[in-house]
Amino acid sequence: MPSFVLFVVLLGTLAPNIDGYLTGSRGGPRYQSGSTRRQTNSSSSSSRYQTRGGRQTDGGGYQTGLPEPESRVSSFGGSLTLGPDHPDGTTPIDVSVVIGMHVNDQPIEGTDLWQLGILGSENPEGSGRLFFLVDQLLPPDEADKTLQPDDYLVFDVNTDIDLNQVGRGTDYPYICIKFNRHPQAVPSFKLIMGRQDAILSCTELRREPVEGYKKKGVTVESVQPTPITLYENKVNDITFGSTVTFDPAESEPIIRGRKFWKLGAWLARELASTKRFGESEQVLPAEDRDRPYPSITEPLVFEDLPMTIDLTGITCEKIKYICNKFKLDKPSPKFTMTKAGKGADRGCAPVNCLVLPPPTVQFAAVALTPVTIYIGRKTKVTTDVSVQFNEETTDPTVAGENLWQMTVWFSKSQTGLGKARRLVRSALNAKQRQIPVNINNFVAAGIPMVADLRDLIGCKKYSYLCARIRKAKPKPDYRQIGKDKTGCVPTICEILPPPTVQFAAVALTPVTIYIGRKTKVTTDVSVQFNEETTDPTVAGENLWQMTVWFSKSQTGSGKARRLVRFALNAEQGRIPVDIDNFVVAGIPMVADLRDLIGCKKYSYLCARIRKAKPKPDYRQIGKDKTGCVPTICEILPPPTVQFAAVALTPVTIYIGRKTKVTTDVSVQFNEETTDPTVAGENLWQMTVWFSKSQTGSGKAMSLVRFALNAEQGQIPVDIDNFVAAGIPMVADLRDLIGCKKYSYLCARIRKAEPKPDYRQIGKDKTGCVPTICESLYQ
């Protein structure tokens, strides 16, 4: 082939995320950029350099206290020169590139700084599928070249490349130069190329593959796995073998390299079935994947290949064959693999699928740890239940979920017969139900039970604590041999003296009351116990009785005011002993000082605590305990009310007639000066009359001075909606000609004699509404 020069575009294309797109064929293995092992081509001149070997993972430079130097690419240009093809099908190639750089303030120097590679491309801009040809063209001295500030990088290298899979007539008609920072540069630095990580410059490759050149490779004739035996509905760990034969006439020995082979495996119902079970894309361990193929006349035999197949929920009807598919992994160096015929890279063998009988379990004995219960008491206990199995008939591998059901009860019989007391049918929690078989040490620990002897005399009916174990609904299943097994243990029955309680002190939170007022208050009562003589476990119902009252004495003696003998509700009566924090919160009380002058008789708020009628019982040591707290007595100024407006609903009256009417009177208050909480009795006085004046002045006709009934007189303040509805009036026009003297209906509101009192601000308020005057004879 004659020599020619391919001139690459002067400004390179920034390659979008090129790592991960470099591949030999569509859907093939991904290439991740890395360093290469470099070696000199002895058949070339001293400047010729050829790459071989595999790639390594990304490395990284050392970290220093200085910021990473950086360089920005400003321009890129270069050329590719191809020489005549060699007899072995490779082509000599010269690559010259010039990269313009901007450097901030320090040189870029170190080792493995730069990477220059050759690729085949599907498209002229270096997009689409890319085919890796040479990862690193630069020899060590060129890759280590120092970049001085505002300088250029110039590379001129040559090598031999197999170009028979790129160029005209292939999937990769374009050839590209790729330039980037070496991923294992030491020290690390930043190479800024926009948002990209490499530059690609591409041109069309106008050459045909070498006539008669054949790429190194193998041709598969057959793949044959060995038959296997497995069990349905369980996880199977198997080993099998597989034999791959090649066509000697179409295959070449594969001697050196790595990552040659990939063997996939799966199970199927039919040979051509697309539904696969337990599929694994690669079952070959590393040593088999990298195994050379030195003899083209011998098959490639893989033995003892491990595989785990989960057939849980899958029956033997669906599993008839084990199948293999043989293909290339990511060989380095690369070679090709073809098939001698359709399906030559795939083979199947029969599966011997068996139904595994469920494991068996036989209970041998049940034993419980004894518990102590108390006559006349309700006692919470826990027991540990140990189970022995028949070793000859019990599979020690039994495990799973919901394996066991255990019933626990008290009995008067040492065999558990007769009436069961406090029977618990499902005594095991979820964790205990999945305890696996353990021939030597199977214990369900801490099973809770309650022995209630409060209504019994003696322990006879609770003489034994018994447990029975049986099969539950296990997943996976097992078969129980023999009957359920029961075991009992004698209880330890004792007479427990009642616990004791001794009150040490009572304290109350102070309350504020008001002279001349009836005040509702709440107090929190805290109780201290004598730690030495009080059992901290005391709990139950109706434990405490508390009396609360007001007194003029700081000890609570003398006449009690507003005494409440049973101040605790049911919930408060069952508060258990708490040595550090026993508080009865929110006890309500009422201080009524309306008929008193001063607070003397309400100087203290007191509380006394004593034993009530507890269940279970306890014994009170010492006397009841009383505590008092001074009240806060204040004079509360009366609330204020200011009327803003009065409005009435209109009424219809008739000329020459006496008419009974009703009107609704609404009152508006001044919000800023009116207390919205004003309520009580005899709050308001309202006068209603007819007038010829729209202000109500002048002579009043049919005047009613006290128009409100008792219920209306105690309507509380309502800023938004205060209405005295249905106030009756009489308009007597029998002796009058016309309605002039009854032109308006008026109402005036004022303070009455309220209890409790309030203070009226401002004057009384009057309002009028025109009447509707009609004649019945029109």
Side-chain angles (χ1 to χ4, degrees):
M1 180 177 178
S3 170
F4 62 91
V5 177
L6 301 177
F7 288 98
V8 178
V9 291
L10 291 178
L11 186 60
T13 302
L14 296 181
N17 299 322
I18 187 168
D19 287 349
Y21 285 85
L22 306 182
T23 176
S25 61
R26 189 179 297 277
R30 288 192 174 191
Y31 156 68
Q32 294 186 352
S33 180
S35 67
T36 61
R37 186 178 69 249
R38 294 175 282 194
Q39 59 188 43
T40 304
N41 184 356
S42 59
S43 63
S44 306
S45 65
S46 60
S47 63
R48 186 170 301 280
Y49 179 74
Q50 188 168 16
T51 58
R52 299 275 192 252
R55 306 177 186 87
Q56 301 173 358
T57 58
D58 284 352
Y62 52 80
Q63 297 292 328
T64 70
L66 298 175
E68 282 189 340
E70 64 179 39
S71 178
R72 186 183 303 274
V73 175
S74 60
S75 62
F76 179 90
S79 66
L80 297 173
T81 303
L82 306 184
D85 294 328
H86 293 305
D88 65 355
T90 61
T91 304
I93 182 170
D94 291 323
V95 180
S96 298
V97 295
V98 178
I99 303 102
M101 295 284 191
H102 292 299
V103 180
N104 51 5
D105 59 357
Q106 55 183 306
I108 305 297
E109 56 187 349
T111 58
D112 273 337
L113 300 177
W114 318 106
Q115 191 170 23
L116 187 67
I118 303 295
L119 316 170
S121 173
E122 182 180 19
N123 299 313
E125 66 274 11
S127 61
R129 293 183 300 169
L130 302 176
F131 188 86
F132 169 80
L133 291 169
V134 177
D135 186 18
Q136 173 66 299
L137 283 168
L138 300 177
D141 57 335
E142 293 289 293
D144 300 345
K145 183 177 290 184
T146 298
L147 175 60
Q148 298 295 336
D150 295 324
D151 199 356
Y152 289 88
L153 281 175
V154 179
F155 297 116
D156 188 2
V157 293
N158 48 42
T159 188
D160 295 334
I161 301 178
D162 184 349
L163 297 176
N164 290 290
Q165 296 190 62
V166 298
R168 186 175 297 168
T170 71
D171 292 337
Y172 310 96
Y174 301 91
I175 190 169
C176 307
I177 299 173
K178 175 196 171 194
F179 173 75
N180 57 277
R181 177 188 72 84
H182 199 291
Q184 291 186 335
V186 178
S188 179
F189 66 94
K190 294 180 181 178
L191 183 61
I192 302 174
M193 298 174 284
R195 296 184 178 180
Q196 316 306 325
D197 58 2
I199 291 179
L200 280 181
S201 288
C202 304
T203 189
E204 185 179 7
L205 180 58
R206 302 182 184 92
R207 72 179 288 282
E208 301 293 339
V210 176
E211 183 177 357
Y213 172 76
K214 177 188 168 199
K215 188 169 180 69
K216 186 174 184 179
V218 294
T219 299
V220 178
E221 282 189 331
S222 67
V223 179
Q224 185 58 56
T226 57
I228 62 170
T229 297
L230 44 72
Y231 295 93
E232 70 173 21
N233 197 34
K234 68 166 294 185
V235 177
N236 293 261
D237 292 315
I238 64 168
T239 58
F240 69 98
S242 191
T243 300
V244 182
T245 59
F246 301 95
D247 183 353
E250 299 293 331
S251 302
E252 298 182 64
I254 305 300
I255 299 175
R256 289 186 298 273
R258 58 194 294 268
K259 291 189 177 180
F260 299 138
W261 321 113
K262 180 181 284 188
L263 185 70
W266 67 92
L267 304 178
R269 183 172 185 171
E270 305 291 343
L271 291 174
S273 176
T274 58
K275 187 170 184 179
R276 301 176 177 183
F277 299 94
E279 183 174 12
S280 176
E281 291 188 0
Q282 172 66 294
V283 297
L284 297 179
E287 59 270 19
D288 285 326
R289 180 196 62 186
D290 300 342
R291 187 192 301 180
Y293 174 56
S295 173
I296 61 175
T297 60
E298 298 293 331
L300 198 58
V301 179
F302 301 107
E303 297 178 334
D304 298 326
L305 300 177
M307 187 176 181
T308 298
I309 304 172
D310 188 356
L311 296 182
T312 303
I314 300 173
T315 63
C316 286
E317 294 182 358
K318 299 180 180 179
I319 306 300
K320 301 296 183 184
Y321 297 95
I322 180 171
C323 300
N324 289 162
K325 182 171 183 178
F326 185 73
K327 56 184 178 181
L328 296 183
D329 190 8
K330 298 176 183 178
S332 176
K334 291 189 175 183
F335 60 90
T336 62
M337 189 183 84
T338 57
K339 296 181 285 186
K342 183 178 180 180
D345 60 345
R346 183 179 304 186
C348 299
V351 169
N352 180 27
C353 184
L354 304 177
V355 178
L356 189 67
T360 59
V361 169
Q362 185 173 13
F363 305 114
V366 173
L368 302 86
T369 54
V371 297
T372 300
I373 58 178
Y374 299 97
I375 296 173
R377 302 294 293 273
K378 182 178 180 180
T379 313
K380 294 181 179 179
V381 298
T382 59
T383 184
D384 298 341
V385 181
S386 59
V387 180
Q388 294 181 19
F389 300 92
N390 188 316
E391 290 193 44
E392 296 181 358
T393 54
T394 298
D395 189 328
T397 66
V398 168
E401 297 180 357
N402 201 23
L403 298 172
W404 327 106
Q405 180 183 340
M406 186 175 287
T407 304
V408 185
W409 70 99
F410 289 97
S411 175
K412 65 180 181 181
S413 169
Q414 64 180 0
T415 61
L417 299 176
K419 185 175 181 180
R421 294 278 176 171
R422 308 296 294 191
L423 182 137
V424 179
R425 294 191 182 279
S426 301
L428 301 181
N429 58 34
K431 187 175 182 180
Q432 290 168 331
R433 289 196 298 272
Q434 63 187 19
I435 299 175
V437 164
N438 187 327
I439 300 293
N440 300 317
N441 184 28
F442 182 101
V443 179
I447 295 178
M449 286 294 290
V450 176
D452 192 352
L453 284 74
R454 289 178 295 182
D455 299 326
L456 300 177
I457 299 174
C459 295
K460 185 175 181 180
K461 295 180 179 179
Y462 284 80
S463 298
Y464 295 90
L465 177 60
C466 303
R468 178 181 295 120
I469 192 168
R470 62 170 62 87
K471 173 184 173 182
K473 296 180 179 179
K475 289 183 179 181
D477 196 17
Y478 67 83
R479 182 168 64 89
Q480 179 182 331
I481 298 177
K483 296 180 179 181
D484 308 338
K485 190 60 66 175
T486 300
C488 297
V489 64
T491 58
I492 302 169
C493 187
E494 297 181 354
I495 298 176
L496 186 68
T500 59
V501 169
Q502 185 173 15
F503 306 113
V506 173
L508 301 86
T509 54
V511 298
T512 300
I513 59 178
Y514 299 97
I515 297 173
R517 302 294 292 273
K518 183 178 180 180
T519 313
K520 294 181 179 180
V521 297
T522 60
T523 184
D524 298 342
V525 181
S526 58
V527 179
Q528 294 181 20
F529 299 93
N530 187 317
E531 290 192 45
E532 296 181 358
T533 55
T534 298
D535 189 327
T537 67
V538 169
E541 302 280 339
N542 199 21
L543 298 172
W544 325 108
Q545 180 187 337
M546 187 174 287
T547 303
V548 184
W549 69 97
F550 289 97
S551 176
K552 65 179 180 180
S553 168
Q554 64 181 358
T555 62
S557 60
K559 185 175 181 180
R561 294 280 177 170
R562 307 296 295 191
L563 182 139
V564 179
R565 293 191 183 279
F566 301 96
L568 302 183
N569 58 35
E571 183 177 357
Q572 293 167 331
R574 68 171 70 102
I575 298 175
V577 164
D578 187 330
I579 299 295
D580 300 317
N581 185 29
F582 183 101
V583 179
V584 183
I587 296 178
M589 287 294 288
V590 175
D592 191 351
L593 284 74
R594 289 178 294 182
D595 299 326
L596 300 177
I597 299 174
C599 295
K600 185 175 182 180
K601 295 181 180 181
Y602 285 80
S603 297
Y604 296 91
L605 177 61
C606 303
R608 178 181 294 121
I609 192 168
R610 62 170 58 89
K611 173 184 174 182
K613 296 180 180 180
K615 289 186 178 180
D617 196 15
Y618 66 83
R619 183 168 63 89
Q620 179 181 331
I621 298 176
K623 297 181 179 181
D624 308 337
K625 189 60 66 173
T626 300
C628 296
V629 64
T631 58
I632 302 168
C633 186
E634 297 181 353
I635 298 174
L636 188 67
T640 59
V641 170
Q642 185 174 15
F643 306 113
V646 174
L648 301 88
T649 55
V651 298
T652 301
I653 58 179
Y654 298 96
I655 298 171
R657 302 294 293 273
K658 182 178 182 180
T659 311
K660 293 181 178 180
V661 296
T662 59
T663 184
D664 297 343
V665 181
S666 58
V667 179
Q668 294 182 18
F669 300 91
N670 187 316
E671 289 191 46
E672 295 182 358
T673 56
T674 298
D675 189 327
T677 67
V678 169
E681 299 178 356
N682 198 21
L683 299 172
W684 325 109
Q685 180 185 337
M686 186 175 287
T687 303
V688 185
W689 71 97
F690 290 97
S691 176
K692 66 180 180 181
S693 170
Q694 66 180 359
T695 62
S697 60
K699 185 176 180 179
M701 305 296 290
S702 299
L703 181 140
V704 179
R705 294 190 182 279
F706 302 97
L708 300 181
N709 58 33
E711 184 178 356
Q712 292 168 327
Q714 62 188 21
I715 298 174
V717 165
D718 188 330
I719 299 294
D720 299 318
N721 184 29
F722 183 102
V723 179
I727 295 177
M729 286 294 290
V730 176
D732 191 352
L733 283 73
R734 290 178 294 180
D735 298 328
L736 299 177
I737 300 172
C739 294
K740 186 175 182 181
K741 293 182 179 180
Y742 284 81
S743 297
Y744 295 92
L745 177 60
C746 302
R748 178 181 294 118
I749 191 167
R750 62 172 59 87
K751 173 184 175 183
E753 295 180 359
K755 289 187 179 181
D757 195 16
Y758 67 83
R759 183 168 63 89
Q760 179 181 333
I761 297 176
K763 297 181 180 181
D764 307 339
K765 190 61 63 173
T766 300
C768 296
V769 65
T771 59
I772 303 168
C773 187
E774 298 181 354
S775 174
L776 289 175
Y777 302 104
Q778 291 180 351

